[in-house]
Amino acid sequence: MTMLEGILLTIVTAATPLLFAALGELVAERAGVLNLGVEGMMAVGAVCGFAACNMTGMPLMGALAGIAAGMLAAGLFGVVALFFVANQNATGVALTLFGLGLSALIGDAFVGIPGVAVPRVNIPYLSDLPVVGRLVFGEDPFVYVAIALAIGVWWFLFKTRAGLILRSVGDNHNSAHALGFSVFRTRFLAVLFGGACAGLGGAYLSLVYTPQWTQAMTAGRGWIALALVVFASWLPGRLVIGALLFGAVSILQLHAQAIGVGIPSQFLSMLPYIVTIVALVLISRNRALLSVNTPACLGRPFVPDV
Amino acid sequence: MRIILERRPDHSQTMVLLSPVLAIALSLVSFFIIFAVSKIDPFQALYVYFIEPLTALWSIEDLLAKAIPIILIAIGLSFCYQSAVWNIGAEGQLAAGALAGSIIPVLQPTWQGPLVVTAMMVMGVLGGMAYAAIPAVLKIRFNANETLTTLMLVYVANLFLDYVARGPWRDPGGYNFPNSRAFDEGQMLPIVAGDSIRLSIVFVIIAVIAAWFLTSKTITGFKIRVLGMSPRAGAFGGFSRNKMVMMTFLISGGLAGLAGICEVAGPIGQLRTTVSPGYGFTAIIVAFLGRLHPFGILIAGLLLALSYMGGEGAQVALGLSDQTTQVFQGMLLFYVLACDSFIYYRLKIVRQRAVDPALAR
């Protein structure tokens, strides 16, 4: 395997958790819910995924546990922010603080335990092709799930009736309500989907990306995923490109640290966060472009006047 | 039959006062159940957590020392949140203040005395302000979401602090520990009461009173609230949203910076790779628990400082993880937010389920 091939492979691995989490958040935001708790949901997904995989020895169980944990956490957010119409910003921050604490509490028993290796896909002949073999046909199964999910989300949002209803709830909840659609139910389901994706993204971190549990191992990826949704202007296709770009930044800075380019490692570690800010600024400055796809009711509470 | 929320004709004055109490009670009950389920004597746990820290003088002093930075930051954040500016990066602004304030004692170790300490405080405030001005400008000029930028800047500030404490500012005679030199007493805030209560407690008192005056007695406080509740109404009133964004960011950044330098020039006594166990995030909870009101924040800050103390005690006495505290704090914020909704809404039981027109069609 060449160096370049290795770098490209790790970029895909770094992009996958971001893509999972951002896809879920994209659906929630399309329904008009801003859930800032992605980081917390990823953290509980990571720890529960690792724990389940460790106890059963099956990565699939880990993935399912991650999804379930993320959904539970999202359900908590849904009850407080949607049923009790609490401020979504504050509730999301609460979920992040709670999730990070809870994950560390659960994870205490799993620190320092090596994880179970997740086998890569191996298709005879195809996976052995030079350069593209490993990259296209020999990734771990999660990568293919993530890509399928991106296509599925696009198809659901823009090609199905249910997706149209979801977007209408996000764009104008009063009209959607007047038409007889349940704003609460739509949003709650969207939030649960967001939690499932974030949980799976978290589980990917502790199962594949670095197969172990360490406290706060999400390292801000939940927040980067949130920024990615804005960066992609709420379009799943751009989200894939964005996730790969951010994956590339985080991997290249790691390689730069390994080679030792004469820049203190802390400055290189800052790069993903600084790039996130720069990307946000570049996208947000063009208000006209941004407003085309921004869900008009994003973050706004809804209580029907019965 | 199902339960729905119904808007109250007028907001409930009773719930304004009752909701934080209710939230705390619910958190304690939840905590009780969690302990009971995990086979830890819940009465002993709650005692260790919330009573024991109040039984010794030294631990009350420690409690105040922890409450000081939390309250300072939360007061600043309350301005932001009242005007619907979502600064959640106080943790980074705190680090920036700690760094800026430490420039003199690290680079000019011989400079000492009240003037130097004053200069350190001013530089701490300015450092926090400057760091908070970044997301403010990005929001005003480029429309960048401040929640995300402030949070990203926390990581940047903490990494920079880590670099400085390990690299250029590391104490050459410090056996390779990643700390700056230990500050002399003449470079720290003077002790004003007991064994460890420093001058920063006076800053807290001033901040609380000034914040109360600013919000309830001046036109600026009125403008902040109007713009927070309805930017459109504020615009019709001729209030500038952008000025308000900048101002609330500068206030909260300045106070977070002050908290940072007070920590360094106080309980810690040197610059380290981390200077805060998450005070900047705890302050978010405190701001909401205190209903964004200075006096409420004062009480809420003391309570959350108590949970930090209790967490340390529970580590020793019950062998609990220090993360229990963070779980408690997060849970508390959930309850606060949910209970707050009873100010404007009440629960109503609907007997007949309405026919879903989407299904009937």
Side-chain angles (χ1 to χ4, degrees):
Chain A
M1 194 166 45
T2 62
M3 169 98 175
L4 178 71
E5 203 186 339
I7 290 178
L8 288 176
L9 269 173
T10 42
I11 286 175
V12 174
T13 325
T16 304
L18 292 175
L19 186 56
F20 274 127
L23 277 171
E25 179 65 16
L26 186 140
V27 171
E29 291 194 12
R30 276 288 187 174
V33 188
L34 180 65
N35 184 354
L36 293 181
V38 182
E39 179 85 3
M41 299 190 293
M42 282 184 93
V44 290
V47 75
C48 292
F50 185 81
C53 180
N54 207 273
M55 286 188 279
T56 60
M58 284 148 64
L60 180 65
M61 293 312 287
L64 291 177
I67 292 173
M71 283 176 88
L72 272 178
L76 197 60
F77 173 90
V79 168
V80 177
L82 299 178
F83 183 78
F84 287 105
V85 287
N87 182 298
Q88 290 179 13
N89 281 292
T91 313
V93 172
L95 182 57
T96 290
L97 296 176
F98 181 73
L100 287 175
L102 188 66
S103 64
L105 201 59
I106 300 172
D108 252 4
F110 297 98
V111 173
I113 299 177
V116 179
V118 177
R120 285 173 168 273
V121 169
N122 194 1
I123 307 168
Y125 307 113
L126 283 180
S127 300
D128 301 326
L129 289 173
V131 188
V132 291
R134 282 294 297 279
L135 205 55
V136 181
F137 300 108
E139 300 282 357
D140 59 80
F142 288 91
V143 173
Y144 301 105
V145 174
I147 294 165
L149 194 66
I151 297 168
V153 164
W154 168 82
W155 177 78
F156 170 78
L157 283 177
F158 300 103
K159 298 290 166 195
T160 69
R161 185 177 147 78
L164 183 65
I165 295 171
L166 184 138
R167 285 188 291 133
S168 75
V169 165
D171 272 328
N172 191 331
H173 48 216
N174 290 319
S175 301
H177 176 69
L179 283 170
F181 302 122
S182 172
V183 175
F184 176 77
R185 194 189 310 151
T186 309
R187 288 192 170 162
F188 203 93
L189 290 175
V191 165
L192 285 183
F193 178 77
C197 292
L200 184 57
Y204 183 82
L205 286 176
S206 64
L207 295 178
V208 183
Y209 189 69
T210 43
Q212 58 177 349
W213 164 255
T214 43
Q215 196 183 319
M217 69 182 300
T218 44
R221 286 191 182 81
W223 296 99
I224 292 179
L226 275 159
L228 261 178
V229 177
V230 181
F231 178 77
S233 50
W234 291 269
L235 296 171
R238 290 190 201 167
L239 206 58
V240 178
I241 301 165
L244 284 170
L245 278 176
F246 277 81
V249 172
S250 55
I251 288 304
L252 291 178
Q253 65 91 6
L254 278 181
H255 279 281
Q257 284 191 31
I259 309 167
V261 285
I263 302 169
S265 66
Q266 289 95 338
F267 289 97
L268 292 168
S269 302
M270 282 177 202
L271 265 180
Y273 309 112
I274 292 175
V275 168
T276 306
I277 296 173
V278 172
L280 259 182
V281 166
L282 289 180
I283 292 292
S284 307
R285 61 188 298 200
N286 192 339
R287 285 169 210 242
L289 182 84
L290 196 67
S291 63
V292 176
N293 289 313
T294 311
C297 285
L298 184 59
R300 297 230 316 261
F302 177 74
V303 181
D305 290 308
V306 184
Chain B
M1 198 176 85
R2 65 204 171 113
I3 302 167
I4 58 162
L5 276 193
E6 187 190 52
R7 217 181 293 268
R8 290 179 192 271
D10 203 359
H11 77 273
S12 159
Q13 219 30 268
T14 330
M15 280 312 294
V16 169
L17 294 174
L18 207 61
S19 100
V21 180
L22 191 62
I24 292 166
L26 284 170
S27 301
L28 291 180
V29 170
S30 309
F31 230 41
F32 189 90
I33 295 170
I34 292 170
F35 283 131
V37 169
S38 35
K39 299 197 173 60
I40 297 165
D41 180 5
F43 289 104
Q44 194 206 352
L46 289 180
Y47 176 81
V48 169
Y49 242 90
F50 298 104
I51 311 287
E52 202 169 37
L54 300 172
T55 53
L57 194 61
W58 66 266
S59 71
I60 292 178
E61 283 192 11
D62 209 10
L63 174 83
L64 289 174
K66 287 193 163 60
I68 285 167
I70 299 176
I71 295 171
L72 277 177
I73 300 168
I75 292 278
L77 292 180
S78 71
F79 286 99
C80 287
Y81 300 159
Q82 277 184 54
S83 63
V85 172
W86 296 101
N87 173 11
I88 57 171
E91 186 80 359
Q93 291 141 25
L94 178 150
L99 269 165
S102 303
I103 292 175
I104 299 178
V106 170
L107 299 182
Q108 299 291 345
T110 51
W111 293 11
Q112 298 197 7
L115 257 179
V116 171
V117 175
T118 312
M120 284 166 65
M121 293 298 133
V122 172
M123 288 173 75
V125 170
L126 291 178
M129 280 178 150
Y131 206 59
I134 300 172
V137 169
L138 295 183
K139 182 178 173 63
I140 294 167
R141 266 295 271 118
F142 303 111
N143 189 33
N145 181 317
E146 76 275 20
T147 333
L148 298 172
T149 51
T150 50
L151 202 278
M152 290 293 124
L153 286 169
V154 172
Y155 288 98
V156 175
N158 282 340
L159 283 165
F160 189 73
L161 179 64
D162 189 83
Y163 161 72
V164 169
R166 281 177 207 279
W169 284 8
R170 186 167 61 193
D171 183 7
Y175 307 101
N176 251 337
F177 278 110
N179 304 326
S180 79
R181 60 175 287 274
F183 297 176
D184 296 313
E185 203 47 52
Q187 294 161 330
M188 304 222 277
L189 285 170
I191 291 172
V192 291
D195 294 325
S196 61
I197 308 288
R198 292 179 187 267
L199 192 64
S200 45
I201 198 162
V202 179
F203 300 160
V204 169
I205 296 166
I206 295 172
V208 168
I209 294 170
W212 168 77
F213 184 79
L214 192 62
T215 39
S216 54
K217 300 285 166 201
T218 67
I219 187 82
T220 313
F222 178 69
K223 282 184 190 172
I224 290 177
R225 282 199 305 277
V226 170
L227 282 166
M229 278 186 266
S230 167
R232 253 170 81 81
F236 284 130
F239 310 156
S240 162
R241 169 97 181 128
N242 286 348
K243 263 190 205 161
M244 209 49 70
V245 169
M246 184 48 103
M247 196 186 81
T248 54
F249 257 115
L250 290 181
I251 293 177
S252 63
L255 283 171
L258 180 65
I261 185 60
C262 285
E263 280 299 288
V264 171
I268 302 177
Q270 61 185 173
L271 199 67
R272 292 189 182 159
T273 51
T274 44
V275 288
S276 152
Y279 290 144
F281 295 113
T282 306
I284 300 173
I285 303 171
V286 167
F288 280 104
L289 183 61
R291 314 211 50 79
L292 307 182
H293 188 286
F295 300 143
I297 287 170
L298 187 65
I299 299 167
L302 290 169
L303 181 82
L304 274 264
L306 182 63
S307 77
Y308 267 116
M309 293 289 299
E312 288 174 9
Q315 255 178 295
V316 181
L318 308 169
L320 287 177
S321 158
D322 58 333
Q323 295 297 324
T324 320
T325 312
Q326 206 184 344
V327 174
F328 172 77
Q329 294 180 350
M331 195 163 63
L332 181 61
L333 183 51
F334 271 125
Y335 281 124
V336 170
L337 295 167
C339 289
D340 271 7
S341 113
F342 291 115
I343 295 170
Y344 297 100
Y345 304 97
R346 59 185 162 214
L347 289 178
K348 189 183 172 191
I349 297 170
V350 185
R351 296 203 179 278
Q352 185 91 54
R353 198 193 164 104
V355 178
D356 193 336
L359 292 175
R361 216 181 307 160

